[in-house]
Amino acid sequence: MAASIKQFFKDFDALFFPNICQACGGSLVQHENSFCTICLHQLPYTNYHLIPDNKLAKQFWGRIKIQSAAAFLYFNKAGKVQNIMHQLKYNNQPKVGVELGKLYGKELVKEIHYTQIDGIIPVPLHPKKFKKRGYNQSEQFANGLSETLKIPVFSDILIRDLEKESQTGKSRSLRFDNMEAVFKVQSNHPKLNNVLLVDDTITTGATLETCAAVLQNSGIENINILGLAFTE
Ligand SMILES: [Zn+2]
């Protein structure tokens, strides 16, 4: 009885708040979660976690020493991944990030390399953006990864140095020179040795390079980079 009432409300809810696929906009059937089966089948997976010398990892060569770099999906303009990123960033759909994190975590957990990580650190969002959006999309992705990888998320270790950020906001070139200054590591953080640094879309990798350098300076030796999507 209770189950059927629950189902009734679920169906009722679906009537007014239909569950749609965050990639194609189509209706979801009961067992589907955030994405339809067809989209899950068709999404452009990179499988970079299986390829150590992948295109993203190569981007960091000669810039900073990292353990690995991978991204879940290829970002292609006007494609399904663009829809997904739009939903995640601008349409108040944090669960999209969590769901994708869970999906990628299911793959990563099969690789010994990723099970040896002791903490997941999301790239922090500017507080103004956080206030507007209500959540950090990279942190949502990290939370999903954490669920299937069984590795804790540390959102307070890497933070934005707002004082320095406002000083450097004057001109673009000045800002670039001081990129490293806009992130800092919270003192008295738990001792970590091998972390997964997580971002949403990776393009040039400049932000991640800066974050990785700041983390390494604080004593965290091994940095693995992980993105939700990678723009080739
Ligand atoms: Zn779909």
Side-chain angles (χ1 to χ4, degrees), residues 14 17-45 73 79-88 91 93 95-97 99-100 103:
F17 307 102
N19 282 317
I20 60 155
C21 171
Q22 304 295 320
C24 73
S27 301
L28 294 180
V29 296
Q30 214 181 4
H31 66 278
E32 292 172 338
N33 214 346
S34 295
F35 306 102
C36 73
T37 309
I38 296 168
C39 284
L40 279 182
H41 187 71
Q42 290 178 342
L43 286 176
Y45 301 105
L73 303 163
K80 285 182 174 176
V81 179
Q82 193 187 29
N83 295 342
I84 291 171
M85 296 313 291
H86 182 84
Q87 293 296 94
L88 174 61
N91 209 18
Q93 298 289 341
K95 65 172 187 178
V96 170
E99 191 58 28
L100 291 168
L103 288 170

Side-chain angles (χ1 to χ4, degrees), residues 52-66 69:
D53 294 348
N54 63 65
K55 213 171 171 180
L56 173 60
K58 282 181 182 169
Q59 273 200 5
F60 294 96
W61 290 6
R63 289 164 71 186
I64 189 156
K65 192 179 172 290
I66 52 163

